[in-house]
Structures are given as C-alpha cells and as structure tokens.
Amino acid sequence: MTRPKKTAATPAANLMWGGRFEQGPAEAMERINASIDFDKRLYAQDIAASQAHCKMLAAQGIVSEADSAAILGGLDSILREIEAGDFPFRVEFEDIHMNVEARLGELIGAAAGRLHTARSRNDQVVTDVRLWVRDAIDGLDGQLRDLQAALIVQAEAQAGTVMPGFTHLQAAQPVTLGHHLLAYVEMLGRDRGRLTDARKRLNECPLGSAALAGTSFPIDRDMTAKALGFDRPSANSMDSVSDRDFAMEFLSAGAVIAIHLSRLAEELVLWCAAGFSYVRLSDAFSTGSSIMPQKRNPDAAELVRGKAGRVIGALNTMLVMMKGLPMAFCKDMQEDKEPLFDAAETLSICLGASTGMIRDMTPDADAMRAATAAGFLTATDLADWLVRVLGLAFRDAHHATGAIVRRAEALGCGLADLPLAEMQAVEARITEDIFEVLSVEASVRSRTSLGGTAPDRVRAAAAAARERFL
C-alpha cells in the first residue's frame, strides 16, 4: 500500500525530535525504521521500567512528586489500555517506547515530557529487552521441567521394557526404553543449566546509562536496579547500551534446546514408522492424509524437528547482525528483537508439543522385544564372558566373538540359538554356561554400572532425576 507523502506540516512528524528536523521521514524510511509491529510485545517491560525510573527521579528530587504521580497514573492507564486491546499503536511513533511516551502526553499533558529525564532510548530499550529475555527464560525453564517430568514418568513405567539400542543407527546392544528416555532428561537438564547461567549474566540493569556516557543528573541506579529485580546496575555505560551478549547467549542456549528437541522428535518419527512400531502417538498429536485414509502421520514430531531450523537461524541472524558493530549503540540493534521473539515462541510451541507427545505416547513392549532378535545384540555379553570366565584379553575375546557371530549369521540364527559345538569350534573352552548371558533380558540386567541400563539402575536414576530436576 502506498502511503501519502510526508510533509513538514504532517502532524507528529517531528514530535520526538524537537527542532532539529524540518521534514518528516520518507515513506521508505518510515517503513524500515518502524518497529512497533513487533516490539509492542515489550509493553509490560517498558512500562515497568518507566515506572521504576519515574519513582527514582522523584526520590532524587529530579521531578516533583506531583509530576511523578501523574506519570505513574498515566502509565497505569496505558497498561490497562494495551491489555484491553484499546491502545492506539501508531507507526509514526516508530516503537513501543515512543508510542507509550506519546500516549502519556495525550493523557497527562506536559508532565509526560519529564519521564525521559536522565535516560535515552538506548538504555531504555536494552533494559526492556533484558527484562523480556529474563521472563522468556523463566517461562522456558518451566516448560523444560514439564518435559523432564513427562519423560521421568514414562521412564519409570518402562524401566524394564527391553529394546534395541543403536549406534550409527545400527542395532548395537539391548537397553531399556526407560534408560533411553532418561538420556533426554539429562540433556534437558543441561539446557536448563545453560538458561540459568545466561539469566545470571544478563541480570544487570542498564537503566541510567543514557545514550552512552551516563548522565549528569544525580540518579540512583541501585534503586532502579532493585525495583526491577536486577542483581546490580551495569558497570560501564558504553557497554550497557551496546551489549547484546545476553541475547546471543539466550539464542545459543535456545539453539541447543531446539537441537535436543529435534533429536527426540526424530526418534519419535522413527519409532512410529512401520519398520519400528515401537510407540504409538495419540490422536491429539497425529494427523491423517488428504488422500490415503489409512495414514497416521507423526506430524507434531516432524514439525518440532523442522522448527529447530528457525531457532538456529535466529542465532545466526543475531551473530551476523552484531559482528561488525562499533561502540556504542547502532540502529542495527533494532534487528535483535524479531529473532528473539520468534525463537522464544518457537521453543515454547515445540516444548509444549514434545511434552504432550511423551505424556500421551503408548509404547509397544512386544514390538521392541521382537526387534532385539536381530543384530546379535548380545555379542558384547559373549565377549565379556570370555574375558571374565576364560581370562582372555578383551581383544582376543573380541576376535573370537566376531568369528562366532559369523557362524550364527551363516546358520541364520541368533547367538542364543547357536549350537554350543559351533562356539567351541572357535574357542574350545566355552561351556553351556555361556547361554546364561546371551538373552537380552540377562544382558540388560547385567549392566549395573552407574548410569547403566539395568532396570534397577533405571528406577534409581529416575528417582534421582526427580530429586535433581523436579
């Protein structure tokens, strides 16, 4: 849509810039410069920071109590308007900060102009974004915890359910489904740790840094920091307004979360496939086909897998945007918000879907047990027996076991069904006791080392995970 050309007489063209500019912006400049369409979601953080700043200005005698009361009342009214959907967002005011300030002027008059004393949009915006990222971290941490809880519940229920364990996507050794699911609990625990670390580092308050050099007004930055829940004011005004490390760190942690969710989603896709049929997703997280009535597609898992690219892309966007910027604030930094908002929303959606899929999925223990018949999964148990009972060096035992596997493969049977004579043709000292370790159930029971797949270990690990994470 083509907008009317701006002129010097256009209302509000230079409302915020005073007398420095005689003409309003070109249409193209207005379009590239405005961010209100996306940064309006910062409204709660912007109003909270403005209220803290106003109270500090009054406490320091920089604005009068009467003006402070008018400003605070006006900000409360604006908050109610926005939450009710009645706020008149206007593109000519560029962003949420100017929109709030302009509306404040309409509501309370000249006193509104005192709110911006001793601050700049530079420290205002980065304060808002830090507050928003902090809130996003808290929300995502809760969702990660919910997913861990769902995994732990399933792990406890499936602590003894035997399934093939894979390396290189090739059947390797028998494990339990409970053990497999607890692996993701650990991954998500590290994700939560990264978010916690990022939150600690971002929790410094830039407000009062002004444009880049601080301010000559006698402000109390400790007061505003405390009011907004920050641990301390930031130490250097130039760094304060130009720092986006916290955003990059949040997106970096988010990208790792997305990768972990994608890996879990990929396994759900595989486990639902006809070649596996290890689990069945509920109707709530499956879709059908527009042409093939028999289809049951794990679309929720596929979408989680696909959306990982958006979060990784958001991190790349932020890194590239910041890579060549000098001190201090540059308008490029306006581009930090869309990737932040999109990544946080995408992660939230994916975590909700992942938790739902895990809670609702129905494992098929018989299908998983049947799948362990292929691939000679207890070969390592045979080699360990040769070491433990016959005293062979592991490399010699490994070689002998490989030869025995070839004989079983040639006969078309599993190791547990291979005649003893065939094994003795490779290693004469093998006795019938070998068959005690060749069942998949015996294999998983034997893996009692810390972190192992033995059912009792899995139950203990699930209980420990509850204590650590929930």
Side-chain angles (χ1 to χ4, degrees):
M1 180 181 72
T2 302
R3 290 190 175 92
K5 183 178 179 180
K6 295 284 185 178
T7 69
T10 301
N14 303 300
L15 181 62
M16 298 301 172
W17 307 130
R20 180 63 178 87
F21 291 81
E22 295 181 355
Q23 296 182 348
E27 178 188 4
M29 178 59 188
E30 183 179 273
R31 292 178 64 189
I32 196 172
N33 194 42
S35 59
I36 188 60
D37 286 346
F38 53 85
D39 70 16
K40 60 187 177 185
R41 72 174 65 193
L42 293 172
Y43 75 89
Q45 291 79 15
D46 191 71
I47 290 172
S50 290
Q51 289 173 328
H53 184 67
C54 179
K55 291 175 183 177
M56 181 275 296
L57 292 177
Q60 294 298 104
I62 299 171
V63 303
S64 69
E65 290 294 340
D67 284 344
S68 174
I71 291 168
L72 294 173
L75 290 172
D76 284 336
S77 295
I78 290 170
L79 181 62
R80 288 193 295 271
E81 285 183 348
I82 295 175
E83 291 180 341
D86 297 330
F87 186 85
F89 291 110
R90 294 162 64 180
V91 71
E92 62 264 31
F93 293 134
E94 299 181 10
D95 56 30
I96 185 61
H97 324 292
M98 293 296 199
N99 267 267
V100 169
E101 185 173 337
R103 180 60 176 156
L104 187 63
E106 293 172 355
L107 292 176
I108 69 170
R114 300 192 182 279
L115 175 59
H116 209 55
T117 307
R119 75 174 184 185
S120 162
R121 270 202 303 182
N122 295 357
D123 62 336
Q124 183 181 3
V125 64
V126 73
T127 300
D128 293 356
V129 177
R130 280 180 183 262
L131 289 170
W132 189 91
V133 171
R134 194 176 69 186
D135 291 342
I137 286 174
D138 293 344
L140 291 174
D141 181 74
Q143 288 189 281
L144 285 163
R145 182 185 182 278
D146 289 344
L147 178 52
Q148 286 181 301
L151 288 162
I152 290 169
V153 168
Q154 285 282 15
E156 289 170 333
Q158 307 300 328
T161 301
V162 176
M163 67 178 294
F166 296 86
T167 63
H168 309 276
L169 204 55
Q170 303 294 312
Q173 290 180 273
V175 296
T176 65
L177 177 57
H179 187 60
H180 195 132
L181 295 175
L182 288 179
Y184 285 101
V185 173
E186 294 301 317
M187 293 160 71
L188 297 171
R190 293 193 295 274
D191 290 331
R192 293 179 67 187
R194 275 182 283 271
L195 288 178
T196 298
D197 289 344
R199 194 188 193 284
K200 289 178 182 177
R201 272 183 289 277
L202 76 79
N203 209 35
E204 295 183 346
C205 184
L207 197 58
S209 298
L212 77 163
T215 178
S216 60
F217 290 95
I219 62 173
D220 184 348
R221 294 190 62 208
D222 287 300
M223 179 180 175
T224 48
K226 182 178 180 181
L228 294 170
F230 288 107
D231 294 330
R232 64 192 69 84
S234 55
N236 182 282
S237 58
M238 290 185 71
D239 176 59
S240 298
V241 299
S242 64
D243 169 46
R244 294 298 184 274
D245 290 4
F246 68 93
M248 292 185 284
E249 189 170 4
F250 170 69
L251 290 176
S252 178
V256 178
I257 294 170
I259 289 168
H260 288 164
L261 296 180
S262 181
R263 293 182 69 182
L264 175 59
E266 168 65 7
E267 297 212 281
L268 290 175
V269 170
L270 288 174
W271 293 350
C272 289
F276 289 80
S277 298
Y278 292 174
V279 303
R280 180 183 176 89
L281 296 183
S282 70
D283 290 354
F285 294 96
S286 304
T287 64
S289 165
S290 65
I291 188 173
M292 296 168 285
Q294 85 282 6
K295 291 294 295 298
R296 185 183 180 84
N297 299 323
D299 278 6
E302 291 175 357
L303 286 165
V304 169
R305 185 178 61 187
K307 286 179 182 293
R310 292 178 67 149
V311 183
I312 296 166
L315 171 60
N316 287 335
T317 296
M318 187 74 71
L319 294 173
V320 174
M321 182 269 288
M322 289 297 298
K323 71 168 183 63
L325 298 188
M327 288 288 183
F329 179 81
C330 298
K331 191 69 170 183
D332 312 49
M333 293 179 187
Q334 181 169 292
E335 295 300 307
D336 63 354
K337 297 171 194 63
E338 288 182 285
L340 274 173
F341 298 156
D342 186 74
E345 184 175 0
T346 298
L347 286 169
S348 180
I349 291 169
C350 290
L351 282 165
S354 299
T355 301
M357 286 187 287
I358 293 298
R359 282 177 177 163
D360 291 358
M361 75 177 186
T362 304
D364 188 331
D366 292 338
M368 285 185 274
R369 176 61 180 84
T372 63
F376 308 104
L377 300 188
T378 57
T380 303
D381 299 276
L382 194 158
D384 289 347
W385 187 91
L386 295 177
V387 171
R388 187 171 56 251
V389 177
L390 300 186
L392 270 65
F394 183 79
R395 285 301 169 200
D396 294 334
H398 186 286
H399 181 79
T401 299
I404 292 170
V405 167
R406 283 201 308 273
R407 286 178 172 266
E409 191 172 39
L411 292 175
C413 66
L415 291 174
D417 300 316
L418 185 66
L420 178 62
E422 291 289 332
M423 298 189 202
Q424 291 174 332
V426 175
E427 171 50 65
R429 293 177 292 166
I430 294 177
T431 69
E432 286 191 359
D433 291 344
I434 190 66
F435 293 104
E436 295 177 3
V437 303
L438 294 183
S439 72
V440 293
E441 288 79 12
S443 177
V444 297
R445 283 197 305 270
S446 72
R447 306 293 166 179
T448 56
S449 58
L450 180 64
T453 194
D456 287 344
R457 274 291 185 190
V458 172
R459 294 183 187 97
R466 282 187 177 279
E467 290 295 319
R468 289 163 59 202
F469 298 124
L470 304 186

